[in-house]
Amino acid sequence: EKTSSIVTMPSSDLEIEHSFFEAGFAEISNIRAFDFEGDAAELTDPRIMIRSKGKCHININMTGEAECKGADPKWSDKLALPVVDEYIISVDFCEYDEVTGVSDCIGTGAINILPLYKDGKIDARVDLKQQTALGETIAIGTVFMSLSFSGPRGVSFPRNERGV
């Protein structure tokens, strides 16, 4: 599948079309969080934001409202993330404001998705950290999620796919 966007420069007549072909999609599901403490456990609308950044694109996906809230929130969403050339995705724990549509990031972590290319499926644990006003980094909780990769026939990963 080809994804493209058109960028128009405001002070000129130059129009540039930027296109790329995904190598496949990472599907993220079974998102659940554990051991949140302090303010993170008291959020009214916690969300998980998944971000990826490659050389030619940036993708951001966010879960919907959590089924369970408090110290151990859980989401039933399945997020599809186009994969082009990235190997790390960022995971942010946010408080979402329905009125303004703004997300306030409470903690962040990252997943290396290179094992996803090799095996086609991984279960990931992400320890989320928060930087305090004094510059200290503290742990605020853990997020677990399942990732699976699907790509067009003939793509050279995952390695255990038949016929590749």
Side-chain angles (χ1 to χ4, degrees):
E1 185 176 315
K2 180 179 175 185
T3 304
S4 67
S5 60
I6 297 176
V7 177
T8 305
M9 306 304 265
S11 62
S12 69
D13 294 329
L14 179 63
E15 193 172 283
I16 301 170
E17 183 173 354
H18 172 75
S19 301
F20 62 88
F21 290 94
E22 296 92 358
F25 287 88
E27 184 177 280
I28 303 162
S29 60
N30 299 324
I31 305 169
R32 55 204 186 281
F34 296 96
D35 302 328
F36 280 97
E37 299 174 3
D39 293 341
E42 298 172 9
L43 300 180
T44 57
D45 193 3
R47 307 279 177 109
I48 297 291
M49 184 184 306
I50 308 288
R51 295 179 291 126
S52 68
K53 181 179 178 185
K55 292 180 182 176
C56 62
H57 73 288
I58 296 173
N59 285 300
I60 300 172
N61 284 335
M62 186 183 302
T63 62
E65 190 172 340
E67 292 175 2
C68 305
K69 296 179 181 169
D72 300 327
K74 180 176 141 182
W75 297 265
S76 61
D77 301 76
K78 289 187 177 184
L79 305 176
L81 189 68
V83 176
V84 179
D85 61 351
E86 59 271 48
Y87 58 91
I88 292 179
I89 57 175
S90 298
V91 178
D92 298 333
F93 184 68
C94 305
E95 168 73 16
Y96 184 72
D97 186 344
E98 288 282 345
V99 176
T100 62
V102 175
S103 298
D104 183 24
C105 183
I106 306 299
T108 190
I111 303 172
N112 182 339
I113 58 173
L114 289 176
L116 179 63
Y117 300 146
K118 179 181 176 195
D119 300 328
K121 191 180 290 188
I122 60 171
D123 291 322
R125 171 190 165 139
V126 183
D127 294 320
L128 299 178
K129 309 250 186 250
Q130 178 185 54
Q131 190 166 5
T132 67
L134 298 174
E136 299 172 318
T137 302
I138 58 171
I140 64 158
T142 303
V143 173
F144 292 94
M145 60 185 67
S146 298
L147 294 93
S148 60
F149 178 79
S150 62
R153 184 149 179 76
V155 171
S156 62
F157 47 84
R159 289 186 197 165
N160 65 354
E161 183 179 325
R162 291 184 187 180
V164 176

